[in-house]
Amino acid sequence: MQFSRKDEFREYFVNKFGIPHEVMENYTFWQRGKKVWAFCGIPCTVEDVEILGIRALKISGDVKPSTVFLRVVGKYATRNVIDLNETDAMEFMKGKTIFGNFDAERGYVIVRCNKEALGCGFYTGEGIVSQIPKEYRIQDSWV
Amino acid sequence: MDEKKLSYFEQYRDIIPQFDKFLESLKTPQPYWIRVNTLKISEEALINRLQRKGFVFEIFGELNAYRVVDMPVKHPGSTLEHSLGYYYVQDLASMVPVLALQSKKGDRVLDMCAAPGSKTTMIAEIMGNKGCIIANDANYRRLKSLAGNIERLGITNVIITNRDARNADFGVLFDRILIDAPCSGEGVFRKNPWGFRQITEREHRFLASNQKKMMKNAVRHLKDNGRIVYSTCTFSPTENESVVKYAVEKLNMRVVDVDVPVPHCEGVESWRSEDFSEIRRHVMRIYPHIVDTGGMFIAVLEKR
């Protein structure tokens, strides 16, 4: 299956998270099946591409942003961003839900701590469900 | 330490300088080195953070390379900062091929055997996430670790392909090509002495035959003013100088001198009746007993 260029997905990050256009214009967006990748290099035509850039969105059912891309552009976000204290941030990074009321719309949010984008969370109105992929979750023995 | 495994290296007594010191170094575990991902954080900020957590580092010259002297965890990757992609655990010797490549922002680069991505991510960092890197690996199962590291470090200018580097047509020409070729891996003995398997000369020749095919294919994809860096993590001249000699004699390439800020030795003069006197001064060999790293061979080639 080939990648097709779909730069309209850029608007998702501008509208949902208030990331400035000039930041998002550095990226081109490429769809293959139900996934969208963001790429900032000079596109060059090579055959049999397996992966192009970095996973940005999953579009099966609802539109879900990826933690890895939010870590790249999340520092520029102005909407639907939740800043956690260090203790809650570590729990969030372990994959745990952080309960509380936050100033954000229900749905996917960017979770930050000390201005660092940690990744994607899902705000239910009662708490943030961690969307950190298993391979990036921290363990109790880590520092 | 298994003396039988160590005795395998006796064949190199005449070509490795300070051989007894070399042999001693193989008996000690290889230290960890880290490289800060400056696309995400400054060197100073990360090192301060890790030092506050109990890490002790030794910086290597002006390079973005820190030797882990002490740490509060079993593996240097067991930190929040590693998960956030702020650094990569990478041996100093394995940084040298990328330093020799001297890629620039806007270049089109081919990394022929890219997994698990230590050199690809370092190239991307040097290029400031600009230009384009084709990170290829023939082993499909290894693409997962390659993609995982690229994503963790927030690299966005890489295209991953799964082609056979010996004969694949990538369809474009490149400014820089890195062939970090699959090899017998003698230079990573310290990292994993338990998994080390003694290699026969026949196996070295088989590997060299594949390495020469990759070299030939790389030359085919190189721009006229482009550069190829050939590297392996083995000591065998059959897989090193012999492959470079093939490129010089059969593919109309020349070996180029490049300054790298890591101490290294010249290549070997001859091996099993093959003479390398013409190229030996231009290739680099890094041995574990020089700066406490793994082993590496590096050669820089350009079109004549």
Side-chain angles (χ1 to χ4, degrees):
Chain A
M1 201 188 295
Q2 289 300 309
F3 288 87
S4 52
R5 187 164 170 172
K6 294 279 179 68
D7 284 347
E8 52 267 35
F9 286 112
R10 196 179 277 152
E11 297 306 312
Y12 171 84
F13 294 93
V14 175
N15 298 333
K16 171 93 178 163
F17 299 114
I19 298 170
H21 261 290
E22 53 267 35
V23 171
M24 294 311 302
E25 275 166 9
N26 290 322
Y27 301 93
T28 53
F29 288 83
W30 302 81
Q31 184 181 355
R32 186 172 65 178
K34 304 235 180 258
K35 287 180 183 171
V36 177
W37 278 264
F39 180 71
C40 78
I42 302 165
C44 66
T45 317
V46 289
E47 290 176 6
D48 302 334
V49 171
E50 293 292 331
I51 293 170
L52 207 169
I54 196 168
R55 268 179 305 162
L57 291 167
K58 203 189 272 181
I59 50 174
S60 50
D62 59 349
V63 178
K64 182 185 178 185
S66 77
T67 278
V68 287
F69 189 57
L70 292 184
R71 285 178 176 181
V72 175
V73 295
K75 62 183 165 195
Y76 304 105
T78 53
R79 273 200 298 279
N80 291 314
V81 180
I82 295 176
D83 285 292
L84 296 179
N85 62 40
E86 286 185 17
T87 310
D88 285 343
M90 288 300 271
E91 293 301 301
F92 176 80
M93 285 298 294
K94 287 176 185 169
K96 296 189 177 154
T97 298
I98 309 301
F99 292 98
N101 292 313
F102 298 96
D103 181 20
E105 295 166 13
R106 290 180 188 200
Y108 293 110
V109 292
I110 297 174
V111 177
R112 293 195 302 210
C113 175
N114 297 329
K115 295 181 184 170
E116 290 177 330
L118 302 176
C120 181
F122 187 85
Y123 183 49
T124 61
E126 294 170 351
I128 316 160
V129 181
S130 177
Q131 303 293 308
I132 300 291
K134 278 186 186 143
E135 62 267 32
Y136 298 124
R137 288 183 194 168
I138 62 170
Q139 294 167 20
D140 289 334
S141 60
W142 291 17
V143 294
Chain B
M1 181 60 62
D2 190 338
E3 290 297 326
K4 195 179 164 196
K5 280 187 177 175
L6 280 176
S7 68
Y8 167 83
F9 293 96
E10 283 292 336
Q11 62 180 314
Y12 299 133
R13 183 171 280 279
D14 294 335
I15 62 167
I16 295 181
Q18 299 176 289
F19 184 78
D20 289 329
K21 212 172 155 192
F22 164 79
L23 219 50
E24 277 307 303
S25 74
L26 295 186
K27 293 177 185 170
T28 59
Q30 190 173 310
Y32 291 109
W33 291 79
I34 69 161
R35 168 175 58 83
V36 181
N37 178 18
T38 54
L39 292 173
K40 285 198 169 188
I41 191 168
S42 72
E43 288 181 53
E44 190 186 3
L46 178 76
I47 295 305
N48 283 342
R49 273 175 74 154
L50 292 179
Q51 282 173 335
R52 281 200 298 274
K53 290 184 170 186
F55 278 79
V56 179
F57 296 106
E58 191 177 274
I59 184 170
F60 186 82
E62 300 283 303
L63 275 182
N64 173 3
Y66 297 83
R67 183 173 178 265
V68 181
V69 178
D70 197 13
M71 57 185 166
V73 278
K74 279 185 182 167
H75 187 272
S78 303
T79 69
L80 170 67
E81 287 77 8
H82 186 265
S83 170
L84 291 172
Y86 290 174
Y87 64 98
Y88 198 106
V89 180
Q90 181 181 6
D91 183 42
L92 174 68
S94 108
M95 299 180 196
V96 176
V98 180
L99 296 172
L101 197 64
Q102 295 181 338
S103 50
K104 300 181 295 293
K105 287 180 183 177
D107 275 351
R108 189 186 286 159
V109 179
L110 171 63
D111 186 352
M112 281 189 140
C113 315
S118 56
K119 296 178 186 73
T120 308
T121 54
M122 187 175 169
I123 296 167
E125 190 201 328
I126 288 170
M127 289 167 63
N129 247 344
K130 307 283 183 217
C132 181
I133 303 169
I134 308 296
N136 177 71
D137 206 280
N139 186 335
Y140 187 81
R141 282 180 300 176
R142 297 187 75 199
L143 294 188
K144 197 179 173 189
S145 60
L146 172 63
N149 281 320
I150 287 169
E151 289 194 336
R152 184 174 63 82
L153 271 71
I155 307 291
T156 49
N157 66 338
V158 172
I159 294 172
I160 297 180
T161 57
N162 177 219
R163 313 287 299 277
D164 185 340
R166 293 173 298 182
N167 50 33
D169 180 1
F170 292 94
V172 287
L173 298 179
F174 295 89
D175 302 287
R176 297 282 187 269
I177 299 178
L178 174 63
I179 316 170
D180 188 41
C183 65
S184 48
E186 294 162 348
V188 294
F189 179 85
R190 295 176 77 195
K191 214 151 96 178
N192 181 14
W194 312 276
F196 181 74
R197 194 175 62 81
Q198 303 202 2
I199 310 291
T200 63
E201 187 56 28
R202 192 178 167 195
E203 285 172 291
H204 284 307
R205 283 202 301 273
F206 174 73
L207 287 162
S209 143
N210 285 336
Q211 290 153 352
K212 286 172 185 170
K213 285 175 188 163
M214 283 179 201
M215 181 69 83
K216 190 175 180 184
N217 200 25
V219 171
R220 198 160 69 94
H221 284 90
L222 187 68
K223 285 184 181 175
D224 283 342
N225 57 350
R227 166 177 289 186
I228 291 173
V229 169
Y230 174 77
S231 65
T232 72
C233 58
T234 201
F235 306 117
S236 163
T238 310
E239 296 178 53
N240 293 328
E241 282 84 352
S242 184
V243 177
V244 175
K245 189 181 175 188
Y246 164 80
V248 170
E249 291 182 352
K250 307 280 186 194
L251 304 175
N252 208 26
M253 301 296 284
R254 65 188 179 98
V255 199
V256 180
D257 290 319
V258 173
D259 269 341
V260 291
V262 178
H264 53 270
C265 301
E266 291 178 344
V268 303
E269 180 86 36
S270 64
W271 177 251
R272 305 216 164 137
S273 76
E274 198 175 0
D275 177 66
F276 305 119
S277 52
E278 280 195 24
I279 59 162
R280 68 174 293 240
R281 288 187 202 289
H282 311 289
V283 301
M284 295 175 265
R285 282 178 161 259
I286 296 175
Y287 294 116
H289 57 294
I290 303 179
V291 200
D292 206 5
T293 60
M296 188 65 68
F297 172 88
I298 306 109
V300 182
L301 298 129
E302 289 177 0
K303 285 186 175 175
R304 258 188 240 166

